Amino acid sequence: GAVVSQHPSWVICKSGTSVKIECRSLDFQATTMFWYRQFPKQSLMLMATSNEGSKATYEQGVEKDKFLINHASLTLSTLTVTSAHPEDSSFYICSARGPVYEQYFGPGTRLTVT
Amino acid sequence: QKEVEQNSGPLSVPEGAIASLNCTYSDRGSQSFFWYRQYSGKSPELIMFIYSNGDKEDGRFTAQLNKASQYVSLLIRDSQPSDSATYLCAVKLGSQGNLIFGKGTKLSVKP
């Protein structure tokens, strides 16, 4: 299957700072990427859909000014958590859409805000 | 509201048995169906997908689709403790729709 990478795999930051997470499709071009958040023992929660060259579409309840998404190329999407707070601590996972609408997930980024 | 329903489990089966994971969906317009496996603390990985009614086999995995009943299942033959994970069903709506994920079924394979 296709490979999607994420960087960093884990990050610890202080409350009030911003953190950028990168998601790359390594062996295919992805016009559409997705960002999910998952709290311990809970299901995936879709945060936003990101299309190359256009603004991301955010799910209801997700603050677009807090979670900035940029999809500037067919292989890279970034999620920036601005002014992070402890309640933003979570497992953030990106995925890239494949040719038959399947999604390939990155390995995830574990964010801890202290 | 388009929904994908899965029994949360846990489903416990002995090693070597067949594990049967079920998923129902609400939208008759759904076209493609996907199964993912997610180990604890890891991200989901795609196991297989199915479009047509009937069975599709890949190694120890068999996906079964019944569009009339709006039902898709995943069978795991000769279950191994390493199969213990949460299995997510995902459904694509229409020709341009995103995947809608179920909440997953936790499978535990006992040695």
Side-chain angles (χ1 to χ4, degrees), chain B residues 37-54:
Chain B
R37 175 175 61 197
Q38 185 176 22
Y39 291 112
S40 181
K42 303 293 186 183
S43 64
E45 57 179 319
L46 180 64
I47 299 173
M48 63 191 303
F49 52 84
I50 186 168
Y51 307 131
S52 305
N53 277 327

Side-chain angles (χ1 to χ4, degrees), chain A residues 34 36 43-46 95 101-105, chain B residues 2-6 23 34-36 44 46 88-92 98-104:
Chain A
F34 304 87
Y36 293 84
S43 55
L44 288 174
M45 279 177 40
L46 179 64
S95 70
Y101 283 76
E102 75 278 34
Q103 288 182 26
Y104 297 99
F105 286 86
Chain B
K2 312 296 185 185
E3 292 184 344
V4 177
E5 300 282 345
Q6 294 181 258
C23 173
F34 303 81
W35 282 101
Y36 288 81
L46 180 64
L88 304 172
C89 170
V91 175
K92 182 172 95 65
N98 289 337
L99 297 190
I100 306 298
F101 283 84
K103 294 187 183 301

Side-chain angles (χ1 to χ4, degrees), chain A residues 48-61:
Chain A
T49 302
S50 156
N51 290 297
E52 186 264 336
S54 62
K55 290 184 178 180
T57 302
Y58 291 81
E59 295 299 301
Q60 192 171 8

Side-chain angles (χ1 to χ4, degrees), chain B residues 19-107:
Chain B
S20 178
L21 302 155
N22 305 316
C23 173
T24 59
Y25 57 95
S26 63
D27 184 14
R28 285 196 172 274
S30 302
Q31 295 187 349
S32 310
F33 308 85
F34 303 81
W35 282 101
Y36 288 81
R37 175 175 61 197
Q38 185 176 22
Y39 291 112
S40 181
K42 303 293 186 183
S43 64
E45 57 179 319
L46 180 64
I47 299 173
M48 63 191 303
F49 52 84
I50 186 168
Y51 307 131
S52 305
N53 277 327
D55 295 359
K56 179 181 178 182
E57 188 175 316
D58 184 358
R60 294 188 297 114
F61 299 99
T62 299
Q64 298 177 317
L65 175 61
N66 184 325
K67 289 186 178 181
S69 300
Q70 295 176 236
Y71 177 95
V72 57
S73 64
L74 179 71
L75 302 179
I76 306 175
R77 288 183 301 282
D78 188 24
S79 296
Q80 301 297 308
S82 58
D83 294 325
S84 298
T86 296
Y87 289 80
L88 304 172
C89 170
V91 175
K92 182 172 95 65
L93 304 177
S95 61
Q96 299 293 326
N98 289 337
L99 297 190
I100 306 298
F101 283 84
K103 294 187 183 301
T105 297
K106 186 171 183 178
L107 172 66

